[in-house]
Amino acid sequence: MAKAKKRYVCQACGSVTTRWQGQCVDCAEWNTLVEEAAQVSTVFAAKHDLQGGGRTVELLGLDANVALPERIASGLAEFDRAVGGGIVPGSAMLVGGDPGVGKSTLLLQVAAKVAERGLPVIYVSGEEAADQVRLRALRLGLGRSPVRLAAATSVRDILTTVGDAPPALLVIDSIQTMHSDLIEGAPGTVSQVRASAHELIRFAKERGTALILVGHVTKDGSIAGPRVLEHMVDAVLGFEGDRSHQYRILRANKNRFGGTDEIGVFAMEGAGLAEVPNPSALFLTDRGEPVSGTSVFPAMEGTRPVLLELQALTVRLASGATPRRSAVGWDSGRLAMVLAVLEARCGLSFASCEVYLNVAGGYRLQDPGADLAVAAALVSALSERPVPAGAVALGEIALSGEIRPVAHAPLRLKEAAKLGFDSAWVPAGIDGPATLKLERFAHLRQLVDRILGR
Ligand code: TYD
Ligand code: MG
């Protein structure tokens, strides 16, 4: 037998080299290469080949009478929406999120809902003992639900046990605790995560079981373990939220079977996650009655929309001292520009006022698309007339005072509608979801007139 070659696997990106180096050549991370043993056997893997053995089938056939598996709707509408209308049998899904955000809670609830529809469901916990999961289920009021529980970390054990009667849904909490004996190494290392996921996914595709893997997220927000995990699954969902806030948002980052622009909104309560079909209620109570000087801007965070509150304050100075202009979370040059356009093109005067602008929540905004929302907050602060609480504003302001369109407007407006806003102030020529009343502005003067009620 040939001597097993040494291999070094980058724990950040999964790339493999035969020589140790301080820095990974692929992802440029430092000190991430770890020696790992090569694959020891493929006998077990060979038994689990995808059915079909290379035969081809027609895409749909002329009579389209092919019985296609139906999506499993869990009945948790916010979850089903985020995954694109239900779980696809035979698909593999990865749910990532910070520790304690509520992944186990969410998936236990989903598992219970699916089981209550009469489908066989197995929930495997590699982190908690079966009794702990049971206790949690009792707290969640799911004590009577026919979910089968297992506390296991060996992929071979799990597949041998469930192999006789493959469930409709198999939840693995979490993939970082799983261990495959096809490969040496501790659970949680890149090669273990990859090998375990590979075996589980292969099983799922072969037997038509829907598989949900829970994945931990590292500090920088990516799912721990190899990036390849994200390529191996059909859908990657992120469960986001701040532990000090009630809100949790489930968002698809990748979905082979649905769109990625739908989100599911939940609130973490004493008895688990509650669906929030109309987030506006909670979101707007946070904002309270409309106050002058605030506006809401649908920003983009990477490829995702996020709604931000902009706050402006103007303080009239009695003396002739030079008034301060201060911006937190927004470019002060851009603030000066918006003020100049308001003065030169719309006839407003901020000359004797100190002006403060703040992006709530400590965000740093760099998007020029926020100009219109900034202008709305400023005019509202100056005139002490509030912007309607249900309105968002987006648009870039040109030096001429004209309002220009911004990128990803449909996505931003969809998010605003989803979060319960009912109107949007936008540049001319922009369309949005039917539930949003659009007010189009070609020139900044029209926005000023709108706020001043002229
Ligand atoms: P959990 O689902 O264990 O998080 P994860 O699996 O993502 O690590 O959720 C843990 C948090 O949720 C915990 O801090 C307490 C909170 N929680 C509630 O507020 N209410 C509940 O009913 C449950 C089960 C948890
Ligand atoms: Mg957990």
Side-chain angles (χ1 to χ4, degrees), residues 104 127-128 136 173:
S104 304
E127 302 190 334
E128 291 159 277
R136 187 202 297 260
D173 186 3

Side-chain angles (χ1 to χ4, degrees), residues 240-290:
E240 304 161 5
D242 184 345
R243 260 198 283 176
S244 51
H245 289 91
Q246 249 196 330
Y247 283 102
R248 301 289 183 272
I249 291 185
L250 184 68
R251 202 186 293 265
N253 299 322
K254 157 186 171 174
N255 194 349
R256 286 188 184 145
F257 306 116
T260 53
D261 50 359
E262 291 286 6
I263 59 173
V265 185
F266 299 87
M268 182 59 94
E269 292 177 354
L273 290 158
E275 297 186 70
V276 183
N278 177 18
S280 67
L282 288 159
F283 190 77
L284 293 178
T285 15
D286 279 350
R287 301 186 59 222
E289 287 294 299

Side-chain angles (χ1 to χ4, degrees), residues 178-450:
M178 291 297 135
H179 177 267
S180 160
D181 52 13
L182 297 185
I183 276 238
E184 284 174 21
T189 56
V190 170
S191 45
Q192 272 297 344
V193 166
R194 187 172 40 194
S196 307
H198 185 69
E199 275 184 67
L200 289 162
I201 292 169
R202 193 196 276 266
F203 173 86
K205 303 255 163 197
E206 188 186 318
R207 304 299 185 91
T209 290
L211 175 70
I212 301 183
L213 304 173
V214 173
H216 293 296
V217 161
T218 54
K219 282 192 294 303
D220 63 358
S222 59
I223 290 171
R227 262 271 128 96
V228 287
L229 197 53
E230 297 186 11
H231 297 296
M232 290 164 74
V233 294
D234 301 304
V236 179
L237 294 147
F239 201 39
E240 304 161 5
D242 184 345
R243 260 198 283 176
S244 51
H245 289 91
Q246 249 196 330
Y247 283 102
R248 301 289 183 272
I249 291 185
L250 184 68
R251 202 186 293 265
N253 299 322
K254 157 186 171 174
N255 194 349
R256 286 188 184 145
F257 306 116
T260 53
D261 50 359
E262 291 286 6
I263 59 173
V265 185
F266 299 87
M268 182 59 94
E269 292 177 354
L273 290 158
E275 297 186 70
V276 183
N278 177 18
S280 67
L282 288 159
F283 190 77
L284 293 178
T285 15
D286 279 350
R287 301 186 59 222
E289 287 294 299
V291 218
S292 62
T294 68
S295 65
V296 175
F297 170 62
M300 295 297 290
E301 191 193 58
T303 56
R304 306 160 171 183
V306 43
L307 295 184
L308 300 177
E309 186 181 278
L310 304 181
Q311 305 162 346
L313 180 67
T314 55
V315 186
R316 211 161 278 286
L317 288 183
S319 69
T322 317
R324 275 182 68 156
R325 263 91 227 255
S326 163
V328 179
W330 172 254
D331 183 41
S332 52
R334 195 108 203 144
L335 171 63
M337 190 209 88
V338 174
L339 286 171
V341 178
L342 282 170
E343 298 210 346
R345 308 286 180 191
C346 310
L348 295 182
S349 172
F350 291 87
S352 58
C353 292
E354 294 199 327
V355 178
Y356 299 92
L357 182 78
N358 178 39
V359 182
Y363 273 89
R364 299 204 69 79
L365 243 184
Q366 296 196 315
D367 188 347
D371 287 353
L372 196 69
V374 168
L378 290 171
V379 176
S380 161
L382 188 73
S383 62
E384 291 177 22
R385 299 177 70 104
V387 174
V392 297
L394 75 159
E396 186 176 338
I397 297 173
L399 288 178
S400 62
E402 274 158 320
I403 298 172
R404 302 269 158 82
V406 299
H408 306 297
L411 212 58
R412 300 174 193 248
L413 293 176
K414 205 169 165 188
E415 180 92 346
K418 177 77 214 304
L419 290 179
F421 284 82
D422 56 21
S423 61
W425 293 359
V426 296
I430 290 219
D431 287 318
T435 49
L436 271 192
K437 185 169 146 284
L438 296 188
E439 292 183 42
R440 299 187 174 83
F441 299 93
H443 195 278
L444 191 54
R445 221 175 293 122
Q446 297 166 344
L447 178 95
V448 173
D449 290 347
R450 169 72 173 83

